[in-house]
């Protein structure tokens, strides 16, 4: 075996590197903060008729029925005979997806919750009643975007044309 004096600097360097590695490792609290799970505020299907489908994040299309729950990041589509109404929160935020429609819901973080903040209409029509909740609701299509608070409105998309109707609010 060699001279012990040669091993002392190597052991000291190894201990120093290990100590620096532990000091720079995030704590458990830091890991938890980085991966806070947002709790989705779910809507409930209050009316469903005909063929209505939902695609949950990363999933396939599946049937949607009355009393089912809908997340703010789901997508919905209806067949020619399908319609659905979804209700969120108190006061009630209501979205009606009309026949032959495809809609992507939009969610955003509010504290530790994922809340509904908009809908993107790819085809068909959506009617929405938006109570004043301190944050605008964005109803959009490929060619139009409307931000509304305390309003009732609808958006119809046909090909490249979009038509917005405002029944109440501005």
């Amino acid at each position: 075996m060699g001279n012990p004096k040669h091993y002392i600097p190597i052991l000291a360097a190894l201990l120093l590197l290990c100590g620096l590695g532990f000091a720079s490792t995030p704590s458990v609290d830091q890991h938890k903060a980085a991966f806070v799970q947002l709790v989705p505020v779910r809507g409930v299907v209050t009316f469903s008729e005909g063929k209505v489908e939902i695609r949950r994040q990363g999933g396939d299309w599946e049937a949607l029925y009355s009393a089912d729950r809908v997340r703010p990041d789901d997508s919905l589509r209806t067949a020619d005979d399908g319609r659905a109404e979804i209700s969120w929160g108190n006061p009630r935020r209501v979205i009606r997806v009309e026949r032959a429609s495809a809609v992507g819901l939009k969610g955003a973080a509010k504290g530790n919750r994922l809340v509904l903040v908009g809908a993107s209409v790819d085809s068909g029509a959506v009617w929405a009643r938006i109570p004043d909740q301190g944050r605008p609701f964005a109803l959009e299509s490929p060619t139009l975007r409307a931000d509304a608070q305390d309003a009732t409105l609808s958006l119809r998309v046909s090909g490249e044309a979009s038509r917005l109707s405002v029944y109440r609010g501005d």
Side-chain angles (χ1 to χ4, degrees):
M1 194 157 172
N3 189 348
K5 289 182 183 177
H6 295 292
Y7 294 110
I8 292 175
I10 294 171
L11 285 175
L14 188 59
L15 287 172
L16 180 64
L17 287 175
C18 287
L20 289 175
F22 284 120
S24 65
T25 303
S27 69
V28 172
D29 290 336
Q30 289 171 327
H31 277 295
K32 285 182 184 176
F35 297 104
V36 170
Q37 293 290 333
L38 294 177
V39 178
V41 176
R42 297 177 187 262
V44 65
V45 178
T46 53
F47 172 80
S48 177
E49 169 183 88
K51 185 176 180 181
V52 181
E53 295 179 310
I54 186 170
R55 182 174 58 206
R56 304 197 187 277
Q57 197 172 27
D60 294 326
W61 289 102
E62 58 188 65
L64 182 71
Y65 302 102
S66 290
D68 282 354
R69 302 296 244 170
V70 176
R71 289 175 48 119
D73 53 0
D74 290 337
S75 295
L76 307 169
R77 72 179 178 190
T78 56
D80 290 339
D81 67 341
R83 294 186 313 157
E85 179 179 279
I86 301 100
S87 233
W88 273 270
N90 190 15
R92 292 279 180 227
R93 184 171 272 189
V94 178
I95 294 179
R96 291 185 189 143
V97 181
E98 297 297 334
R99 301 178 195 285
S101 297
V103 179
L105 302 176
K106 307 278 185 181
K110 183 176 181 183
N112 69 336
R113 299 178 308 146
L114 181 66
V115 298
L116 181 70
V117 295
S120 178
V121 183
D122 297 323
S123 63
V126 168
W127 176 94
R129 182 177 68 218
I130 313 302
D132 187 5
Q133 294 181 329
R135 172 187 290 217
F137 182 86
L139 192 55
E140 59 188 31
S141 74
T143 59
L144 184 139
R145 179 184 166 105
D147 290 329
Q149 268 186 198
D150 199 22
T152 302
L153 48 111
S154 70
L155 179 59
R156 181 170 299 281
V157 178
S158 179
E160 291 188 26
S162 298
R163 186 177 75 207
L164 177 71
S165 299
V166 179
Y167 304 105
R168 183 180 62 83
D170 23 271

